[in-house]
Amino acid sequence: EESPEISENEIAQIEWALLPVFRYDKFIPNHLSKFAAKDASFFAQLVIWAFRSEKDKKDGRQMDDEMRNKAEASHDLLRKIAILPGDSGGDINADALNVWVDDARKLLQDADRVKIGDDQIGSYLSHSPVGSDGVWPHEAVRSVIERVKSSQFALAIRIGKQNARGMTSRSPWDGGKQERILAAQYYNDAKKIELIYPRTAEILRSIARDYDNEARHQDWDSELHD
């Protein structure tokens, strides 16, 4: 990836070929990730390859081996990319991000993939860094959430953020202490931004409520060990 003797396109092709090898690995295909962030049409093509249209589902159209291989590789890549459009070292250019989102949504709408399109874009943007005020997601991503007004988009961002937490470890007697701390943080963050970013604040409250529920389940599990 760092070799000056190989072009970016060649490296991207090698990354694409190796995706099946690294399916369950933490390997990040950096050049393909950059292409997805720069070019909404490339991202949209990945979604088109990975997910059948509603019409194809109704018609019962089957995929051949080539289509199946492209779908699997696209699934893998969509799961791994995390460099966001307009990203410049942790900050995000709001204009560049909004243009990218509009272009991607239009392409996916034309391809009869509106719902899965918003789902995949939302999941992608869940990798957002925190904003200048210390609240997740970045202000540029919040502006997209407020403007797009898509419930599927908002749900995907919420689920993507929660899934990014990964596995946790705790003493059998800790209960839901970790989750209550997280819930309090998200409630507090929602309150900070609710006047300017009400839809984003509701996403944060939804995450907080989920952690409240998980905390109760962890408390019950802890009581069983007493």
Side-chain angles (χ1 to χ4, degrees):
E1 290 186 328
E2 298 177 1
S3 171
E5 299 176 1
I6 307 175
S7 71
E8 289 190 355
N9 285 336
E10 288 175 312
I11 296 173
Q13 289 172 7
I14 294 170
E15 288 178 343
W16 177 263
L18 291 177
L19 280 174
V21 179
F22 294 105
R23 177 166 297 166
Y24 305 108
D25 192 87
K26 293 183 179 179
F27 165 72
I28 302 297
N30 291 318
H31 284 71
L32 288 173
S33 297
K34 291 175 183 177
F35 283 174
K38 291 177 181 177
D39 188 352
S41 64
F42 177 60
F43 179 90
Q45 185 61 69
L46 293 175
V47 177
I48 291 168
W49 281 337
F51 301 95
R52 292 188 298 165
S53 69
E54 295 302 318
K55 183 177 185 302
D56 286 342
K57 291 178 184 177
K58 290 177 182 177
D59 294 344
R61 182 186 176 193
Q62 300 299 312
M63 294 190 294
D64 57 28
D65 288 343
E66 181 181 357
M67 293 171 62
R68 191 173 294 106
N69 289 336
K70 280 184 178 180
E72 291 176 355
S74 298
H75 269 289
D76 291 343
L77 185 54
L78 288 167
R79 188 167 47 85
K80 287 176 176 289
I81 57 175
I83 301 171
L84 298 193
D87 180 88
S88 57
D91 196 16
I92 300 176
N93 183 293
D95 291 337
L97 179 63
N98 275 278
V99 169
W100 186 98
V101 168
D102 287 348
D103 288 347
R105 294 187 82 220
K106 177 63 167 60
L107 290 165
L108 290 164
Q109 179 182 2
D110 292 346
D112 189 25
R113 287 165 174 82
V114 174
K115 186 175 180 180
I116 194 61
D118 277 358
D119 177 81
Q120 291 302 302
I121 295 171
S123 181
Y124 180 27
L125 297 192
S126 71
H127 296 289
S128 167
V130 299
S132 60
D133 54 4
V135 176
W136 176 92
H138 189 280
E139 291 91 343
V141 176
R142 296 177 214 168
S143 72
V144 173
I145 294 170
E146 303 301 321
R147 184 176 61 81
V148 168
K149 297 181 176 63
S150 164
S151 58
Q152 186 67 40
F153 185 81
L155 176 63
I157 289 179
R158 174 170 69 84
I159 292 174
K161 179 60 174 176
Q162 290 176 263
N163 287 345
R165 185 188 180 202
M167 300 293 292
T168 62
S169 61
R170 72 191 74 213
S171 162
W173 300 276
D174 281 350
K177 182 164 58 177
Q178 295 180 27
E179 287 71 28
R180 278 191 290 276
I181 292 172
L182 288 170
Q185 174 193 323
Y186 280 107
Y187 280 129
N188 186 53
D189 286 348
K191 190 169 184 63
K192 288 180 181 178
I193 67 171
E194 62 185 353
L195 293 179
I196 301 176
Y197 306 104
R199 289 179 177 273
T200 309
E202 183 52 37
I203 291 174
L204 299 183
R205 290 193 190 93
S206 295
I207 294 174
R209 288 192 289 268
D210 285 344
Y211 280 131
D212 273 338
N213 290 333
E214 187 177 345
R216 285 191 287 272
H217 286 296
Q218 293 291 345
D219 287 343
W220 295 335
D221 286 344
S222 178
E223 290 173 5
L224 292 175
H225 288 89
D226 289 342

